[in-house]
Amino acid sequence: MKTIRLRAGKERSLLRRHPWIFESAIAKGGGDSGETVRVESAEGQFLGWAAFSPQSKIRARVWSFDETQRIDASFFIAACAVSIRARGRFDIKSDGVRLVHGESDGLPGLIVDRYGDTLVAQFTSAGVDKWKDVIADALLVATGLTKLYERSDASSRALEGLPEVTGWLRGDGPTDLVLQEHEWKLALSIAEGHKTGFYLDQRDSRKRFAETTRRLGFQRVLNCYCYTGGFSVAALSGGAGHVTSIDSSGPAIEKAAANVAMNGFDASRATFMDADVNASLRAFGAEGRTFDAIILDPPKFAPTVAHAERAARAYKDINRLAFKLLEPGGVLFTYSCSGGISADLFHKIIAGAGSDAGVDGYITERMGGAPDHPMTIAFPEGEYLKGLVVMRR
């Protein structure tokens, strides 16, 4: 077994059971891509078993902090089973569920979502990629399913020196599926959709928006960065009078319209715009248009902390424009899925946007990812999705 030894003082995060070891923390040692290595402190104390990645800045990711643990097929079979079993204790009103959430489930770099009878997996780190076949079989055994589609096309694979890989890993079947979520249905493509096909992490936020719409009687709703219309369907399900949905992707807009139609809503209650969100917000302001409720769920502006400053300006700008379009008493559901933007920083950005817009508001709720996208005590980076619900005063 190969060994990596850390620089003095760099063992502290591992003693807190944080699974990442950065390149700069390593004094000596290494391994092949995905190889399991022994991790020791500068004094030779055992710290963990980790998967080595020669090209990534996160040079190793810890599998286990137990010196007696063997990292073999039985380890992955057990880890997958534990993760999947935990989902049975979460309150999930959908047949679309995240079964494995990477580091939070002790399987760094592995994402697994279930859509009905089909599993979709992303292997984004060298360690899980090396154990791909064992993990695939373990997932099917744990779920009793036969179909697993691979979506290992995330940009993070390039950082690990891994090529993009997509296609059926086990079994085969249709890649265009329909998800049952709460009281509505949503179509998705596991082959072409974002992430593994859909944004399951916003499941509870969509439900909350439908409930808020029903309670407050929103008549004019604006859904920005609508993708395939999840929030639009939720708004209409809650009784919204009219929903305007904007996205810069023509295919996404077509799917959003199809999702609204599939749920039986009157087409006259929905408008779809293939357009730039910033430009549209500015145009609405010039036209004097206002809305009772606005959803801002933009793409990842800051994948890392290094991008935070530039991303903060982008988040501030769209929220400033949205505040100006919001009626007094209206509600803004605003989100950041950027790992480089902390919850505290996001709050400050929204406060700055309100100040620049000359608007104050009540923060009525803080939102996060659905429970099957967990953050753990040892891995706060699992909290990538942050949201605020702001009612304009």
Side-chain angles (χ1 to χ4, degrees), residues 98 113 115 179 181 186 188 193-204 206 225-228 230-231 247 297-300 337 370 373 384-385:
R98 173 146 298 180
D113 290 334
Y115 298 103
L179 172 71
E181 178 183 278
L186 298 164
L188 61 110
H194 293 179
K195 301 178 81 171
T196 66
F198 198 64
Y199 290 96
L200 294 176
D201 52 2
Q202 287 284 34
R203 180 194 313 114
D204 291 353
R206 287 188 285 269
Y225 310 98
C226 70
Y227 188 44
T228 56
F231 275 104
D247 200 282
D297 188 20
K300 188 184 298 183
C337 64
H373 296 64
Y384 66 96
L385 180 61

PDB file of all heavy atoms in Angstrom, residues 98 113 115 179 181 186 188 193-204 206 225-228 230-231 247 297-300 337 370 373 384-385:
ATOM      1  N   ARG A  98     -32.356  11.442  -5.059  1.00  0.00           N
ATOM      2  CA  ARG A  98     -30.897  11.306  -5.032  1.00  0.00           C
ATOM      3  C   ARG A  98     -30.540  10.229  -4.016  1.00  0.00           C
ATOM      4  O   ARG A  98     -30.803  10.370  -2.824  1.00  0.00           O
ATOM      5  CB  ARG A  98     -30.215  12.620  -4.678  1.00  0.00           C
ATOM      6  CG  ARG A  98     -28.702  12.440  -4.485  1.00  0.00           C
ATOM      7  CD  ARG A  98     -27.907  13.620  -4.939  1.00  0.00           C
ATOM      8  NE  ARG A  98     -28.074  13.877  -6.362  1.00  0.00           N
ATOM      9  CZ  ARG A  98     -27.459  14.877  -7.011  1.00  0.00           C
ATOM     10  NH1 ARG A  98     -26.624  15.677  -6.365  1.00  0.00           N
ATOM     11  NH2 ARG A  98     -27.673  15.063  -8.293  1.00  0.00           N
ATOM     12  N   ASP A 113     -28.761   9.300  -8.953  1.00  0.00           N
ATOM     13  CA  ASP A 113     -30.162   9.675  -8.866  1.00  0.00           C
ATOM     14  C   ASP A 113     -31.021   8.544  -9.409  1.00  0.00           C
ATOM     15  O   ASP A 113     -30.634   7.844 -10.356  1.00  0.00           O
ATOM     16  CB  ASP A 113     -30.441  10.949  -9.674  1.00  0.00           C
ATOM     17  CG  ASP A 113     -29.829  12.185  -9.031  1.00  0.00           C
ATOM     18  OD1 ASP A 113     -29.632  12.185  -7.803  1.00  0.00           O
ATOM     19  OD2 ASP A 113     -29.544  13.154  -9.764  1.00  0.00           O
ATOM     20  N   TYR A 115     -34.711   7.763 -11.089  1.00  0.00           N
ATOM     21  CA  TYR A 115     -35.908   8.271 -11.746  1.00  0.00           C
ATOM     22  C   TYR A 115     -36.796   7.060 -12.045  1.00  0.00           C
ATOM     23  O   TYR A 115     -36.588   6.356 -13.038  1.00  0.00           O
ATOM     24  CB  TYR A 115     -35.560   8.989 -13.046  1.00  0.00           C
ATOM     25  CG  TYR A 115     -34.672  10.202 -12.868  1.00  0.00           C
ATOM     26  CD1 TYR A 115     -33.312  10.143 -13.159  1.00  0.00           C
ATOM     27  CD2 TYR A 115     -35.191  11.409 -12.408  1.00  0.00           C
ATOM     28  CE1 TYR A 115     -32.496  11.256 -13.002  1.00  0.00           C
ATOM     29  CE2 TYR A 115     -34.378  12.521 -12.247  1.00  0.00           C
ATOM     30  CZ  TYR A 115     -33.032  12.445 -12.544  1.00  0.00           C
ATOM     31  OH  TYR A 115     -32.228  13.547 -12.383  1.00  0.00           O
ATOM     32  N   LEU A 179     -41.300  12.179 -14.528  1.00  0.00           N
ATOM     33  CA  LEU A 179     -41.133  12.134 -13.082  1.00  0.00           C
ATOM     34  C   LEU A 179     -42.427  12.559 -12.402  1.00  0.00           C
ATOM     35  O   LEU A 179     -43.044  13.545 -12.790  1.00  0.00           O
ATOM     36  CB  LEU A 179     -39.992  13.086 -12.708  1.00  0.00           C
ATOM     37  CG  LEU A 179     -39.702  13.396 -11.253  1.00  0.00           C
ATOM     38  CD1 LEU A 179     -39.107  12.173 -10.580  1.00  0.00           C
ATOM     39  CD2 LEU A 179     -38.727  14.559 -11.174  1.00  0.00           C
ATOM     40  N   GLU A 181     -43.784  14.194  -9.146  1.00  0.00           N
ATOM     41  CA  GLU A 181     -43.295  14.989  -8.017  1.00  0.00           C
ATOM     42  C   GLU A 181     -44.461  15.713  -7.378  1.00  0.00           C
ATOM     43  O   GLU A 181     -45.160  16.480  -8.046  1.00  0.00           O
ATOM     44  CB  GLU A 181     -42.245  15.998  -8.506  1.00  0.00           C
ATOM     45  CG  GLU A 181     -41.709  16.900  -7.405  1.00  0.00           C
ATOM     46  CD  GLU A 181     -40.727  17.918  -7.939  1.00  0.00           C
ATOM     47  OE1 GLU A 181     -39.545  17.571  -8.115  1.00  0.00           O
ATOM     48  OE2 GLU A 181     -41.146  19.081  -8.185  1.00  0.00           O
ATOM     49  N   LEU A 186     -43.323  15.863 -14.400  1.00  0.00           N
ATOM     50  CA  LEU A 186     -42.302  16.630 -15.101  1.00  0.00           C
ATOM     51  C   LEU A 186     -41.502  15.704 -16.006  1.00  0.00           C
ATOM     52  O   LEU A 186     -40.978  14.687 -15.558  1.00  0.00           O
ATOM     53  CB  LEU A 186     -41.364  17.318 -14.104  1.00  0.00           C
ATOM     54  CG  LEU A 186     -42.019  18.349 -13.173  1.00  0.00           C
ATOM     55  CD1 LEU A 186     -41.120  18.670 -11.988  1.00  0.00           C
ATOM     56  CD2 LEU A 186     -42.381  19.618 -13.940  1.00  0.00           C
ATOM     57  N   LEU A 188     -38.317  14.705 -18.449  1.00  0.00           N
ATOM     58  CA  LEU A 188     -36.881  14.981 -18.415  1.00  0.00           C
ATOM     59  C   LEU A 188     -36.158  14.019 -19.343  1.00  0.00           C
ATOM     60  O   LEU A 188     -36.703  12.988 -19.747  1.00  0.00           O
ATOM     61  CB  LEU A 188     -36.350  14.823 -16.990  1.00  0.00           C
ATOM     62  CG  LEU A 188     -36.497  13.425 -16.383  1.00  0.00           C
ATOM     63  CD1 LEU A 188     -35.141  12.759 -16.250  1.00  0.00           C
ATOM     64  CD2 LEU A 188     -37.188  13.488 -15.034  1.00  0.00           C
ATOM     65  N   GLY A 193     -30.426  16.154 -20.414  1.00  0.00           N
ATOM     66  CA  GLY A 193     -30.776  17.155 -19.419  1.00  0.00           C
ATOM     67  C   GLY A 193     -29.589  17.577 -18.570  1.00  0.00           C
ATOM     68  O   GLY A 193     -28.556  16.915 -18.536  1.00  0.00           O
ATOM     69  N   HIS A 194     -29.749  18.694 -17.866  1.00  0.00           N
ATOM     70  CA  HIS A 194     -28.703  19.168 -16.964  1.00  0.00           C
ATOM     71  C   HIS A 194     -28.475  18.161 -15.841  1.00  0.00           C
ATOM     72  O   HIS A 194     -29.363  17.422 -15.468  1.00  0.00           O
ATOM     73  CB  HIS A 194     -29.092  20.519 -16.348  1.00  0.00           C
ATOM     74  CG  HIS A 194     -29.142  21.636 -17.334  1.00  0.00           C
ATOM     75  ND1 HIS A 194     -29.482  22.925 -16.983  1.00  0.00           N
ATOM     76  CD2 HIS A 194     -28.892  21.678 -18.671  1.00  0.00           C
ATOM     77  CE1 HIS A 194     -29.440  23.707 -18.045  1.00  0.00           C
ATOM     78  NE2 HIS A 194     -29.090  22.969 -19.090  1.00  0.00           N
ATOM     79  N   LYS A 195     -27.252  18.149 -15.316  1.00  0.00           N
ATOM     80  CA  LYS A 195     -26.875  17.258 -14.222  1.00  0.00           C
ATOM     81  C   LYS A 195     -27.151  15.812 -14.638  1.00  0.00           C
ATOM     82  O   LYS A 195     -26.654  15.359 -15.651  1.00  0.00           O
ATOM     83  CB  LYS A 195     -27.599  17.669 -12.934  1.00  0.00           C
ATOM     84  CG  LYS A 195     -27.279  19.123 -12.531  1.00  0.00           C
ATOM     85  CD  LYS A 195     -28.012  19.565 -11.307  1.00  0.00           C
ATOM     86  CE  LYS A 195     -27.354  19.102 -10.044  1.00  0.00           C
ATOM     87  NZ  LYS A 195     -27.947  19.708  -8.838  1.00  0.00           N
ATOM     88  N   THR A 196     -27.973  15.086 -13.878  1.00  0.00           N
ATOM     89  CA  THR A 196     -28.317  13.718 -14.295  1.00  0.00           C
ATOM     90  C   THR A 196     -29.624  13.692 -15.067  1.00  0.00           C
ATOM     91  O   THR A 196     -30.157  12.625 -15.356  1.00  0.00           O
ATOM     92  CB  THR A 196     -28.457  12.792 -13.070  1.00  0.00           C
ATOM     93  OG1 THR A 196     -29.583  13.227 -12.294  1.00  0.00           O
ATOM     94  CG2 THR A 196     -27.194  12.783 -12.226  1.00  0.00           C
ATOM     95  N   GLY A 197     -30.150  14.864 -15.419  1.00  0.00           N
ATOM     96  CA  GLY A 197     -31.396  14.946 -16.155  1.00  0.00           C
ATOM     97  C   GLY A 197     -32.356  15.964 -15.596  1.00  0.00           C
ATOM     98  O   GLY A 197     -33.211  16.478 -16.313  1.00  0.00           O
ATOM     99  N   PHE A 198     -32.217  16.272 -14.286  1.00  0.00           N
ATOM    100  CA  PHE A 198     -33.180  17.183 -13.673  1.00  0.00           C
ATOM    101  C   PHE A 198     -32.595  17.761 -12.388  1.00  0.00           C
ATOM    102  O   PHE A 198     -31.604  17.251 -11.852  1.00  0.00           O
ATOM    103  CB  PHE A 198     -34.494  16.443 -13.379  1.00  0.00           C
ATOM    104  CG  PHE A 198     -35.663  17.354 -13.153  1.00  0.00           C
ATOM    105  CD1 PHE A 198     -36.129  18.171 -14.172  1.00  0.00           C
ATOM    106  CD2 PHE A 198     -36.290  17.403 -11.925  1.00  0.00           C
ATOM    107  CE1 PHE A 198     -37.202  19.027 -13.963  1.00  0.00           C
ATOM    108  CE2 PHE A 198     -37.362  18.255 -11.705  1.00  0.00           C
ATOM    109  CZ  PHE A 198     -37.821  19.063 -12.734  1.00  0.00           C
ATOM    110  N   TYR A 199     -33.238  18.828 -11.871  1.00  0.00           N
ATOM    111  CA  TYR A 199     -32.814  19.465 -10.632  1.00  0.00           C
ATOM    112  C   TYR A 199     -33.670  18.949  -9.480  1.00  0.00           C
ATOM    113  O   TYR A 199     -34.598  19.617  -9.010  1.00  0.00           O
ATOM    114  CB  TYR A 199     -32.914  20.990 -10.753  1.00  0.00           C
ATOM    115  CG  TYR A 199     -31.887  21.580 -11.682  1.00  0.00           C
ATOM    116  CD1 TYR A 199     -32.197  21.865 -13.013  1.00  0.00           C
ATOM    117  CD2 TYR A 199     -30.588  21.824 -11.247  1.00  0.00           C
ATOM    118  CE1 TYR A 199     -31.243  22.380 -13.875  1.00  0.00           C
ATOM    119  CE2 TYR A 199     -29.630  22.347 -12.100  1.00  0.00           C
ATOM    120  CZ  TYR A 199     -29.963  22.625 -13.411  1.00  0.00           C
ATOM    121  OH  TYR A 199     -29.017  23.136 -14.265  1.00  0.00           O
ATOM    122  N   LEU A 200     -33.341  17.761  -9.004  1.00  0.00           N
ATOM    123  CA  LEU A 200     -34.073  17.168  -7.892  1.00  0.00           C
ATOM    124  C   LEU A 200     -33.881  17.959  -6.605  1.00  0.00           C
ATOM    125  O   LEU A 200     -34.721  17.908  -5.700  1.00  0.00           O
ATOM    126  CB  LEU A 200     -33.610  15.728  -7.669  1.00  0.00           C
ATOM    127  CG  LEU A 200     -33.919  14.729  -8.802  1.00  0.00           C
ATOM    128  CD1 LEU A 200     -33.303  13.373  -8.481  1.00  0.00           C
ATOM    129  CD2 LEU A 200     -35.424  14.597  -9.017  1.00  0.00           C
ATOM    130  N   ASP A 201     -32.777  18.699  -6.502  1.00  0.00           N
ATOM    131  CA  ASP A 201     -32.490  19.429  -5.267  1.00  0.00           C
ATOM    132  C   ASP A 201     -33.509  20.517  -4.963  1.00  0.00           C
ATOM    133  O   ASP A 201     -33.669  20.934  -3.818  1.00  0.00           O
ATOM    134  CB  ASP A 201     -31.076  20.021  -5.288  1.00  0.00           C
ATOM    135  CG  ASP A 201     -30.775  20.836  -6.536  1.00  0.00           C
ATOM    136  OD1 ASP A 201     -31.667  20.993  -7.398  1.00  0.00           O
ATOM    137  OD2 ASP A 201     -29.633  21.315  -6.658  1.00  0.00           O
ATOM    138  N   GLN A 202     -34.259  20.986  -5.983  1.00  0.00           N
ATOM    139  CA  GLN A 202     -35.235  22.050  -5.777  1.00  0.00           C
ATOM    140  C   GLN A 202     -36.652  21.508  -5.554  1.00  0.00           C
ATOM    141  O   GLN A 202     -37.620  22.266  -5.552  1.00  0.00           O
ATOM    142  CB  GLN A 202     -35.235  22.999  -6.993  1.00  0.00           C
ATOM    143  CG  GLN A 202     -34.015  23.896  -7.092  1.00  0.00           C
ATOM    144  CD  GLN A 202     -34.079  25.045  -6.090  1.00  0.00           C
ATOM    145  OE1 GLN A 202     -34.593  24.915  -5.000  1.00  0.00           O
ATOM    146  NE2 GLN A 202     -33.545  26.196  -6.486  1.00  0.00           N
ATOM    147  N   ARG A 203     -36.781  20.215  -5.339  1.00  0.00           N
ATOM    148  CA  ARG A 203     -38.097  19.590  -5.168  1.00  0.00           C
ATOM    149  C   ARG A 203     -38.930  20.282  -4.088  1.00  0.00           C
ATOM    150  O   ARG A 203     -40.091  20.652  -4.299  1.00  0.00           O
ATOM    151  CB  ARG A 203     -37.930  18.117  -4.828  1.00  0.00           C
ATOM    152  CG  ARG A 203     -39.219  17.351  -4.618  1.00  0.00           C
ATOM    153  CD  ARG A 203     -38.993  16.008  -3.960  1.00  0.00           C
ATOM    154  NE  ARG A 203     -37.917  15.261  -4.579  1.00  0.00           N
ATOM    155  CZ  ARG A 203     -36.766  14.963  -3.966  1.00  0.00           C
ATOM    156  NH1 ARG A 203     -36.566  15.347  -2.708  1.00  0.00           N
ATOM    157  NH2 ARG A 203     -35.832  14.281  -4.580  1.00  0.00           N
ATOM    158  N   ASP A 204     -38.354  20.468  -2.907  1.00  0.00           N
ATOM    159  CA  ASP A 204     -39.108  21.047  -1.796  1.00  0.00           C
ATOM    160  C   ASP A 204     -39.356  22.535  -1.993  1.00  0.00           C
ATOM    161  O   ASP A 204     -40.376  23.070  -1.534  1.00  0.00           O
ATOM    162  CB  ASP A 204     -38.372  20.795  -0.480  1.00  0.00           C
ATOM    163  CG  ASP A 204     -38.389  19.322  -0.091  1.00  0.00           C
ATOM    164  OD1 ASP A 204     -39.071  18.524  -0.763  1.00  0.00           O
ATOM    165  OD2 ASP A 204     -37.705  18.962   0.892  1.00  0.00           O
ATOM    166  N   ARG A 206     -39.920  23.894  -4.914  1.00  0.00           N
ATOM    167  CA  ARG A 206     -41.059  23.979  -5.841  1.00  0.00           C
ATOM    168  C   ARG A 206     -42.380  23.788  -5.088  1.00  0.00           C
ATOM    169  O   ARG A 206     -43.358  24.498  -5.341  1.00  0.00           O
ATOM    170  CB  ARG A 206     -40.899  22.948  -6.954  1.00  0.00           C
ATOM    171  CG  ARG A 206     -39.820  23.300  -7.960  1.00  0.00           C
ATOM    172  CD  ARG A 206     -39.816  22.370  -9.156  1.00  0.00           C
ATOM    173  NE  ARG A 206     -39.265  21.058  -8.858  1.00  0.00           N
ATOM    174  CZ  ARG A 206     -37.989  20.719  -8.999  1.00  0.00           C
ATOM    175  NH1 ARG A 206     -37.111  21.622  -9.410  1.00  0.00           N
ATOM    176  NH2 ARG A 206     -37.571  19.489  -8.727  1.00  0.00           N
ATOM    177  N   TYR A 225     -34.655  31.921 -15.490  1.00  0.00           N
ATOM    178  CA  TYR A 225     -33.815  30.729 -15.645  1.00  0.00           C
ATOM    179  C   TYR A 225     -34.687  29.485 -15.404  1.00  0.00           C
ATOM    180  O   TYR A 225     -34.360  28.601 -14.624  1.00  0.00           O
ATOM    181  CB  TYR A 225     -32.635  30.737 -14.663  1.00  0.00           C
ATOM    182  CG  TYR A 225     -31.846  32.017 -14.656  1.00  0.00           C
ATOM    183  CD1 TYR A 225     -32.076  32.992 -13.693  1.00  0.00           C
ATOM    184  CD2 TYR A 225     -30.865  32.261 -15.619  1.00  0.00           C
ATOM    185  CE1 TYR A 225     -31.353  34.170 -13.681  1.00  0.00           C
ATOM    186  CE2 TYR A 225     -30.126  33.439 -15.613  1.00  0.00           C
ATOM    187  CZ  TYR A 225     -30.381  34.401 -14.644  1.00  0.00           C
ATOM    188  OH  TYR A 225     -29.657  35.566 -14.629  1.00  0.00           O
ATOM    189  N   CYS A 226     -35.803  29.434 -16.127  1.00  0.00           N
ATOM    190  CA  CYS A 226     -36.855  28.460 -15.831  1.00  0.00           C
ATOM    191  C   CYS A 226     -36.482  27.029 -16.195  1.00  0.00           C
ATOM    192  O   CYS A 226     -37.138  26.083 -15.752  1.00  0.00           O
ATOM    193  CB  CYS A 226     -38.148  28.838 -16.538  1.00  0.00           C
ATOM    194  SG  CYS A 226     -38.102  28.627 -18.348  1.00  0.00           S
ATOM    195  N   TYR A 227     -35.447  26.840 -17.037  1.00  0.00           N
ATOM    196  CA  TYR A 227     -35.064  25.510 -17.519  1.00  0.00           C
ATOM    197  C   TYR A 227     -36.299  24.814 -18.091  1.00  0.00           C
ATOM    198  O   TYR A 227     -36.945  25.356 -18.973  1.00  0.00           O
ATOM    199  CB  TYR A 227     -34.374  24.723 -16.413  1.00  0.00           C
ATOM    200  CG  TYR A 227     -33.773  23.403 -16.877  1.00  0.00           C
ATOM    201  CD1 TYR A 227     -33.053  23.321 -18.055  1.00  0.00           C
ATOM    202  CD2 TYR A 227     -33.952  22.243 -16.137  1.00  0.00           C
ATOM    203  CE1 TYR A 227     -32.506  22.124 -18.486  1.00  0.00           C
ATOM    204  CE2 TYR A 227     -33.405  21.033 -16.547  1.00  0.00           C
ATOM    205  CZ  TYR A 227     -32.688  20.985 -17.732  1.00  0.00           C
ATOM    206  OH  TYR A 227     -32.157  19.789 -18.157  1.00  0.00           O
ATOM    207  N   THR A 228     -36.670  23.641 -17.577  1.00  0.00           N
ATOM    208  CA  THR A 228     -37.812  22.921 -18.157  1.00  0.00           C
ATOM    209  C   THR A 228     -39.119  23.190 -17.418  1.00  0.00           C
ATOM    210  O   THR A 228     -40.076  22.440 -17.544  1.00  0.00           O
ATOM    211  CB  THR A 228     -37.545  21.409 -18.203  1.00  0.00           C
ATOM    212  OG1 THR A 228     -37.234  20.935 -16.884  1.00  0.00           O
ATOM    213  CG2 THR A 228     -36.371  21.102 -19.119  1.00  0.00           C
ATOM    214  N   GLY A 230     -40.026  23.634 -13.979  1.00  0.00           N
ATOM    215  CA  GLY A 230     -40.468  23.052 -12.716  1.00  0.00           C
ATOM    216  C   GLY A 230     -41.201  24.045 -11.833  1.00  0.00           C
ATOM    217  O   GLY A 230     -42.287  23.756 -11.314  1.00  0.00           O
ATOM    218  N   PHE A 231     -40.619  25.226 -11.640  1.00  0.00           N
ATOM    219  CA  PHE A 231     -41.276  26.241 -10.823  1.00  0.00           C
ATOM    220  C   PHE A 231     -42.530  26.795 -11.515  1.00  0.00           C
ATOM    221  O   PHE A 231     -43.484  27.197 -10.837  1.00  0.00           O
ATOM    222  CB  PHE A 231     -40.309  27.384 -10.509  1.00  0.00           C
ATOM    223  CG  PHE A 231     -39.434  27.150  -9.313  1.00  0.00           C
ATOM    224  CD1 PHE A 231     -38.097  26.811  -9.459  1.00  0.00           C
ATOM    225  CD2 PHE A 231     -39.948  27.272  -8.031  1.00  0.00           C
ATOM    226  CE1 PHE A 231     -37.280  26.597  -8.354  1.00  0.00           C
ATOM    227  CE2 PHE A 231     -39.139  27.063  -6.910  1.00  0.00           C
ATOM    228  CZ  PHE A 231     -37.807  26.720  -7.075  1.00  0.00           C
ATOM    229  N   ASP A 247     -35.889  31.625 -20.303  1.00  0.00           N
ATOM    230  CA  ASP A 247     -34.628  30.887 -20.323  1.00  0.00           C
ATOM    231  C   ASP A 247     -33.952  31.157 -21.659  1.00  0.00           C
ATOM    232  O   ASP A 247     -34.627  31.372 -22.677  1.00  0.00           O
ATOM    233  CB  ASP A 247     -34.860  29.382 -20.145  1.00  0.00           C
ATOM    234  CG  ASP A 247     -33.607  28.650 -19.683  1.00  0.00           C
ATOM    235  OD1 ASP A 247     -32.725  28.394 -20.526  1.00  0.00           O
ATOM    236  OD2 ASP A 247     -33.502  28.355 -18.484  1.00  0.00           O
ATOM    237  N   ASP A 297     -33.509  31.478 -10.135  1.00  0.00           N
ATOM    238  CA  ASP A 297     -32.769  30.228  -9.895  1.00  0.00           C
ATOM    239  C   ASP A 297     -31.710  30.075 -10.988  1.00  0.00           C
ATOM    240  O   ASP A 297     -31.816  29.204 -11.852  1.00  0.00           O
ATOM    241  CB  ASP A 297     -33.742  29.054  -9.896  1.00  0.00           C
ATOM    242  CG  ASP A 297     -33.074  27.756  -9.465  1.00  0.00           C
ATOM    243  OD1 ASP A 297     -32.013  27.815  -8.818  1.00  0.00           O
ATOM    244  OD2 ASP A 297     -33.624  26.675  -9.777  1.00  0.00           O
ATOM    245  N   PRO A 298     -30.670  30.931 -10.933  1.00  0.00           N
ATOM    246  CA  PRO A 298     -29.694  30.979 -12.023  1.00  0.00           C
ATOM    247  C   PRO A 298     -28.726  29.802 -11.994  1.00  0.00           C
ATOM    248  O   PRO A 298     -28.631  29.070 -11.004  1.00  0.00           O
ATOM    249  CB  PRO A 298     -28.952  32.286 -11.761  1.00  0.00           C
ATOM    250  CG  PRO A 298     -29.021  32.453 -10.279  1.00  0.00           C
ATOM    251  CD  PRO A 298     -30.371  31.920  -9.888  1.00  0.00           C
ATOM    252  N   PRO A 299     -27.984  29.614 -13.069  1.00  0.00           N
ATOM    253  CA  PRO A 299     -26.950  28.572 -13.088  1.00  0.00           C
ATOM    254  C   PRO A 299     -25.810  28.933 -12.142  1.00  0.00           C
ATOM    255  O   PRO A 299     -25.786  30.013 -11.541  1.00  0.00           O
ATOM    256  CB  PRO A 299     -26.486  28.556 -14.548  1.00  0.00           C
ATOM    257  CG  PRO A 299     -26.804  29.929 -15.048  1.00  0.00           C
ATOM    258  CD  PRO A 299     -28.055  30.341 -14.345  1.00  0.00           C
ATOM    259  N   LYS A 300     -24.860  28.038 -12.041  1.00  0.00           N
ATOM    260  CA  LYS A 300     -23.735  28.208 -11.118  1.00  0.00           C
ATOM    261  C   LYS A 300     -22.816  29.324 -11.612  1.00  0.00           C
ATOM    262  O   LYS A 300     -22.083  29.158 -12.574  1.00  0.00           O
ATOM    263  CB  LYS A 300     -22.972  26.888 -11.010  1.00  0.00           C
ATOM    264  CG  LYS A 300     -21.895  26.858  -9.954  1.00  0.00           C
ATOM    265  CD  LYS A 300     -21.132  25.549  -9.997  1.00  0.00           C
ATOM    266  CE  LYS A 300     -22.024  24.379  -9.699  1.00  0.00           C
ATOM    267  NZ  LYS A 300     -21.259  23.096  -9.663  1.00  0.00           N
ATOM    268  N   CYS A 337     -26.715  28.299  -6.454  1.00  0.00           N
ATOM    269  CA  CYS A 337     -26.239  26.913  -6.376  1.00  0.00           C
ATOM    270  C   CYS A 337     -24.714  26.870  -6.482  1.00  0.00           C
ATOM    271  O   CYS A 337     -24.131  25.817  -6.740  1.00  0.00           O
ATOM    272  CB  CYS A 337     -26.869  26.060  -7.479  1.00  0.00           C
ATOM    273  SG  CYS A 337     -26.419  26.558  -9.150  1.00  0.00           S
ATOM    274  N   ALA A 370     -33.097  19.709  -1.105  1.00  0.00           N
ATOM    275  CA  ALA A 370     -33.977  18.700  -0.537  1.00  0.00           C
ATOM    276  C   ALA A 370     -33.166  17.751   0.344  1.00  0.00           C
ATOM    277  O   ALA A 370     -31.944  17.641   0.195  1.00  0.00           O
ATOM    278  CB  ALA A 370     -34.676  17.940  -1.659  1.00  0.00           C
ATOM    279  N   HIS A 373     -30.223  15.507  -0.605  1.00  0.00           N
ATOM    280  CA  HIS A 373     -28.971  16.163  -1.006  1.00  0.00           C
ATOM    281  C   HIS A 373     -28.325  16.705   0.270  1.00  0.00           C
ATOM    282  O   HIS A 373     -28.199  17.907   0.469  1.00  0.00           O
ATOM    283  CB  HIS A 373     -29.244  17.312  -1.974  1.00  0.00           C
ATOM    284  CG  HIS A 373     -29.828  16.903  -3.286  1.00  0.00           C
ATOM    285  ND1 HIS A 373     -31.073  16.320  -3.407  1.00  0.00           N
ATOM    286  CD2 HIS A 373     -29.339  16.995  -4.540  1.00  0.00           C
ATOM    287  CE1 HIS A 373     -31.315  16.073  -4.684  1.00  0.00           C
ATOM    288  NE2 HIS A 373     -30.281  16.475  -5.389  1.00  0.00           N
ATOM    289  N   TYR A 384     -24.391  23.364  -0.981  1.00  0.00           N
ATOM    290  CA  TYR A 384     -24.090  24.219  -2.132  1.00  0.00           C
ATOM    291  C   TYR A 384     -25.284  25.081  -2.531  1.00  0.00           C
ATOM    292  O   TYR A 384     -25.138  26.171  -3.083  1.00  0.00           O
ATOM    293  CB  TYR A 384     -23.654  23.349  -3.317  1.00  0.00           C
ATOM    294  CG  TYR A 384     -24.747  22.467  -3.849  1.00  0.00           C
ATOM    295  CD1 TYR A 384     -25.510  22.854  -4.938  1.00  0.00           C
ATOM    296  CD2 TYR A 384     -25.040  21.249  -3.241  1.00  0.00           C
ATOM    297  CE1 TYR A 384     -26.541  22.054  -5.406  1.00  0.00           C
ATOM    298  CE2 TYR A 384     -26.049  20.440  -3.699  1.00  0.00           C
ATOM    299  CZ  TYR A 384     -26.804  20.842  -4.782  1.00  0.00           C
ATOM    300  OH  TYR A 384     -27.836  20.052  -5.235  1.00  0.00           O
ATOM    301  N   LEU A 385     -26.514  24.612  -2.262  1.00  0.00           N
ATOM    302  CA  LEU A 385     -27.712  25.338  -2.678  1.00  0.00           C
ATOM    303  C   LEU A 385     -28.231  26.191  -1.525  1.00  0.00           C
ATOM    304  O   LEU A 385     -28.544  25.674  -0.451  1.00  0.00           O
ATOM    305  CB  LEU A 385     -28.787  24.361  -3.135  1.00  0.00           C
ATOM    306  CG  LEU A 385     -30.116  24.981  -3.600  1.00  0.00           C
ATOM    307  CD1 LEU A 385     -29.900  25.897  -4.807  1.00  0.00           C
ATOM    308  CD2 LEU A 385     -31.130  23.888  -3.932  1.00  0.00           C
TER     309      LEU A 385
END
